[in-house]
Amino acid sequence: MIASCKGLDMRFNFNKLGPIHEGEIELANLTVLCGKNNTGKTYITNSIYSYLTKWKELIDWSLPEILEKELYENAVASIDLNEFIVTKLDSLTKKSAENLRNRLGNYFACSDTIFEETHFEINIKLKDEWIEREYDNDFRSSSGKVFLSIKKPANSTIAEIISTEVDGAPPLYILDDVISQTLISIVLSTNIPTTFIASAERTGASIFKNELNFNKNQLVRMLTEMDSSPASKFHPYDLVRKFKRNYAISVEDNVEFIANLPDLIQSSSQTSFINNNPHLVRKFEEISGGKYQINKEGNLYFIPTASKRSKLGLGESSSAVRSLMIIWYWLNYKSNVNDLLMVDEPELNLHPENQRKFAQFIAELVNAGIKVFMTTHSDYIIRELNTLILLNSDKNHVKKVMEKFGYNENDVLDGKNINIYYTSTGLFQVNANSKKKRLGCIEKLDITENGIKIISFDEEIRAMNKIQDALIYGL
């Protein structure tokens, strides 16, 4: 069944981002980015992911002085979120775009100089759902006593903050950031989804895990030495410089997710979303060929459907099994309605048959209420998505085609809920007195009643056929 959930109402504009001179992407229920190698897809994907996961710290909003004063003097304060946040949203998002550019080197684990001329524009069309929702949260000390409460009634724009002095609670001035980010979240969390990424490096994420843990252990050791030996003390910024990020946050987040799987599984059960949509797990396991298991020591195993008595270590399993593992665990233990799943190159190590099945899985995921953003080089995935869009028709023969080839209502995609982009080149006037230059850009592909206007690999296929005909027939 085609999902009726709303789009994200978020648009990102890019200027001088890696190979991209200029481009725009608007997030939809399904957003697809395709194109040749080294044309900027990774730059775009990681930039969007960085914003969607770091937005609370990128939006530079502080508690108004009048609210701080009221809170310090009375331990109780009220704020109209519409007046102090919503009316300032344009300036807040503009500042957050600047902050994204300034921190992108760190998020990408590369030199800041690469992004000196980069410019972002971020547009958020705020929904009114935040007003309708109730918010009620208590922050507790290690002893379990409440030291901070933030509440917003349903159908109201007014939030109330109450602080209480209890043992073990941090001082109020330290809580300023917590309060600010909580209030920002109350307003914007209906627009900015909880986001998970399966990076292109996901196949090797279990290898990176040990190195990341080593760095954490080394940091703990250094801090312990600082505490025990005054002579070894040094400025905290030395730690920042020494432990500069080695991998993009998309990779580190995948490593951390895998490292924390034993705790996640012990403390969680399958999500209510999956309990309501068990067909998604069945569809995914058709692609993976089985399910996954993890023991208390953090060792990961794969159990093939064809031989359930077998238990294979990841080193014994196929590269396809390793590339799909992180998505399987996200699907079972983290997925929720209106979340956003980002998948970089879903076709990694997959046979063409499974690439088509993965496109069908994505369609079922979107129709169940999950938003998806993916990059792909796969003509099989794009063509299968095109097929699923063409299924959304009331023509008499379409139902017969669905029955003949095994499609069902969950596979059908509404083209109105999909944005497909292609990294390309265009002519740009860089300087007033110079000729136009061909530079990288982003094109949005049209989706009509005849499906996607596909920019595919047909030219390469025709070239290969021509060469083979010449070799066989002497043409």
Side-chain angles (χ1 to χ4, degrees):
M1 184 178 295
I2 297 176
S4 60
C5 51
K6 298 178 182 178
L8 292 174
D9 291 323
M10 292 187 69
R11 188 177 71 248
F12 293 83
N13 290 76
F14 312 91
N15 290 91
K16 298 182 179 180
L17 176 64
I20 302 295
H21 178 73
E22 182 178 295
E24 174 184 297
I25 285 184
E26 184 172 0
L27 299 184
N29 288 350
L30 173 59
T31 310
V32 182
L33 179 61
C34 49
K36 296 181 179 179
N37 292 328
N38 303 314
T39 55
K41 296 190 302 300
T42 298
Y43 279 92
I44 294 167
T45 303
N46 280 351
S47 295
I48 292 175
Y49 177 73
S50 296
Y51 189 84
L52 294 177
T53 54
K54 300 294 183 182
W55 62 275
K56 290 181 185 179
E57 66 184 51
L58 292 172
I59 295 177
D60 191 12
W61 182 80
S62 301
L63 292 176
E65 289 185 8
I66 187 172
L67 180 68
E68 281 189 339
K69 184 179 179 182
E70 186 180 351
L71 197 55
Y72 283 124
E73 292 178 354
N74 305 321
V76 176
S78 296
I79 180 173
D80 187 335
L81 300 177
N82 186 66
E83 177 184 353
F84 286 96
I85 296 179
V86 176
T87 59
K88 304 180 189 324
L89 188 58
D90 288 345
S91 61
L92 289 174
T93 51
K94 182 178 180 180
K95 182 62 177 177
S96 71
E98 294 175 7
N99 289 337
L100 175 63
R101 191 279 306 275
N102 293 335
R103 301 179 194 184
L104 209 57
N106 177 259
Y107 294 158
F108 276 54
C110 65
S111 172
D112 292 334
T113 59
I114 295 175
F115 304 106
E116 284 180 345
E117 297 184 0
T118 300
H119 177 73
F120 294 105
E121 287 184 16
I122 298 167
N123 182 274
I124 301 174
K125 187 178 179 182
L126 189 62
K127 303 171 185 175
D128 289 335
E129 291 175 24
W130 75 272
I131 299 175
E132 301 166 5
R133 289 186 178 182
E134 178 184 6
Y135 182 87
D136 187 348
N137 191 30
D138 294 330
F139 298 82
R140 299 176 181 273
S141 67
S142 56
S143 63
K145 295 181 179 179
V146 175
F147 62 84
L148 179 68
S149 295
I150 301 178
K151 306 178 187 298
K152 185 195 81 69
N155 300 310
S156 173
T157 64
I158 307 298
E160 184 178 60
I161 306 160
I162 304 172
S163 67
T164 307
E165 291 188 13
V166 299
D167 292 338
L172 191 56
Y173 71 88
I174 290 181
L175 295 175
D176 279 0
D177 285 344
V178 174
I179 297 171
S180 297
Q181 291 188 10
T182 300
L183 297 177
I184 282 285
S185 180
I186 290 173
V187 176
L188 292 180
S189 60
T190 54
N191 271 79
I192 303 179
T194 300
T195 303
F196 183 87
I197 193 168
S199 70
E201 291 81 6
R202 59 188 177 274
T203 303
S206 58
I207 299 173
F208 299 152
K209 175 184 67 175
N210 294 330
E211 180 178 326
L212 186 62
N213 288 340
F214 171 78
N215 284 344
K216 288 181 178 178
N217 292 337
Q218 188 178 6
L219 177 58
V220 171
R221 179 181 58 78
M222 294 175 68
L223 292 173
T224 303
E225 289 176 358
M226 285 174 58
D227 185 57
S228 61
S229 174
S232 67
K233 290 180 182 287
F234 48 87
H235 197 282
Y237 281 114
D238 291 337
L239 289 176
V240 176
R241 285 189 287 270
K242 188 171 183 62
F243 288 94
K244 185 175 176 65
R245 179 175 278 114
N246 293 319
Y247 303 103
I249 60 170
S250 58
V251 178
E252 288 198 354
D253 286 353
N254 279 182
V255 172
E256 185 175 358
F257 180 76
I258 293 172
N260 292 329
L261 278 179
D263 293 336
L264 173 67
I265 293 168
Q266 285 181 6
S267 62
S268 307
S269 56
Q270 279 191 321
T271 65
S272 59
F273 171 77
I274 282 302
N275 287 334
N276 293 330
N277 297 279
H279 65 281
L280 291 171
V281 174
R282 292 195 295 270
K283 185 69 176 183
F284 192 84
E285 290 177 0
E286 285 181 25
I287 304 168
S288 64
K291 59 181 62 179
Y292 299 83
Q293 192 177 84
I294 188 169
N295 62 20
K296 294 180 180 179
E297 289 74 36
N299 297 316
L300 291 156
Y301 299 96
F302 178 70
I303 303 173
T305 303
S307 178
K308 293 183 179 179
R309 293 183 178 180
S310 300
K311 182 187 275 190
L312 305 176
L314 287 189
E316 305 171 83
S317 304
S318 69
S319 54
V321 164
R322 292 195 296 273
S323 72
L324 292 169
M325 177 198 69
I326 197 168
I327 304 175
W328 188 88
Y329 276 108
W330 166 84
L331 180 67
N332 280 277
Y333 294 98
K334 298 292 286 186
S335 60
N336 280 298
V337 173
N338 292 321
D339 283 359
L340 173 64
L341 171 66
M342 301 182 77
V343 187
D344 200 357
E345 300 181 18
E347 66 271 16
L348 281 178
N349 309 303
L350 295 185
H351 184 276
E353 178 186 2
N354 279 335
Q355 291 183 41
R356 289 185 58 209
K357 287 183 178 180
F358 197 93
Q360 295 164 20
F361 166 73
I362 290 298
E364 294 189 18
L365 201 60
V366 169
N367 288 330
I370 298 285
K371 312 293 193 300
V372 176
F373 178 105
M374 67 178 181
T375 69
T376 183
H377 298 287
S378 171
D379 200 39
Y380 296 103
I381 287 178
I382 296 297
R383 287 184 178 276
E384 186 64 19
L385 291 176
N386 191 52
T387 297
L388 303 182
I389 292 170
L390 292 174
L391 293 179
N392 185 30
S393 170
D394 56 4
K395 295 178 180 177
N396 292 331
H397 68 277
V398 170
K399 287 187 178 180
K400 294 180 180 179
V401 171
M402 291 176 67
E403 292 174 3
K404 180 177 180 180
F405 293 98
Y407 291 104
N408 59 60
E409 288 186 356
N410 291 324
D411 298 319
V412 180
L413 282 173
D414 186 348
K416 295 177 182 178
N417 295 330
I418 304 168
N419 287 340
I420 300 182
Y421 298 92
Y422 186 82
T423 51
S424 182
T425 59
L427 293 174
F428 294 92
Q429 186 86 39
V430 179
N431 298 311
N433 299 322
S434 64
K435 293 182 178 180
K436 288 185 176 181
K437 293 184 178 180
R438 185 162 290 279
L439 300 169
C441 64
I442 305 170
E443 294 182 19
K444 186 176 181 181
L445 303 188
D446 293 331
I447 301 177
T448 68
E449 61 179 8
N450 296 319
I452 309 167
K453 183 182 178 183
I454 297 177
I455 298 176
S456 66
F457 308 109
D458 287 350
E459 290 182 5
E460 293 302 317
I461 294 171
R462 283 193 292 268
M464 292 171 67
N465 289 339
K466 188 174 181 180
I467 293 168
Q468 290 176 12
D469 287 345
L471 290 170
I472 297 171
Y473 302 110
L475 299 176

